[in-house]
Amino acid sequence: EPEVTQTPSHQVTQMGQEVILRCVPISNHLYFYWYRQILGQKVEFLVSFYNNEISEKSEIFDDQFSVERPDGSNFTLKIRSTKLEDSAMYFCASRETSGRTETQYFGPGTRLLVL
Amino acid sequence: AQTVTQSQPEMSVQEAETVTLSCTYDTSESDYYLFWYKQPPSRQMILVIRQEAYKQQNATENRFSVNFQKAAKSFSLKISDSQLGDAAMYFCAYSGVASRLTFGEGTQLTVNP
């Protein structure tokens, strides 16, 4: 069964460093999402992406964040200058069609720790 | 803005018994979707069940079923014949006109042997 994959599974970085989190959505999916979950808290929406542009972003998704689909398969989240509070689990999700009936399927997540 | 509330931070159930997890939400939209996701210790987010608001019939998936009360804005999850593998954090989520998912705080379910 097709699944969303994410790399790396864990990343440790120093405050102020740039990190790139990678996702490979399910191949026929058209909508892509990033969410984050700070330890012990609920899952929060960051950004959605369709047709090579951001379709919606939350207030969390400030200028330090960017997303890109550099090729036909990868979807990346870049944090330019990491802060301690960026430590969280980051989930990528994808959805098949423009209809909202389609479910978002999540990847296994990348655990980011900023020291 | 839409909100999702799960008022039970923790629940426990005996193996083979039935448990119900509660979820309420607030929205002014008439067309939306509701989901329950399961998050085991691996922290993977796994879809359990989904409900379309325009459908009156409650969704079921094997041992999992929902009680969707649209007027009351309530969406509870019932797990029948609970198994040890059901132990996880369960999140209720909402998706409306904007396709983003809005999650509740989660309910940690423990299954006792």
Side-chain angles (χ1 to χ4, degrees), chain A residues 63-78:
Chain A
D63 292 344
Q64 292 298 313
F65 292 90
S66 62
V67 289
E68 192 177 34
R69 187 156 165 83
D71 53 41
S73 59
N74 289 283
F75 178 52
T76 62
L77 173 68
K78 181 192 292 186

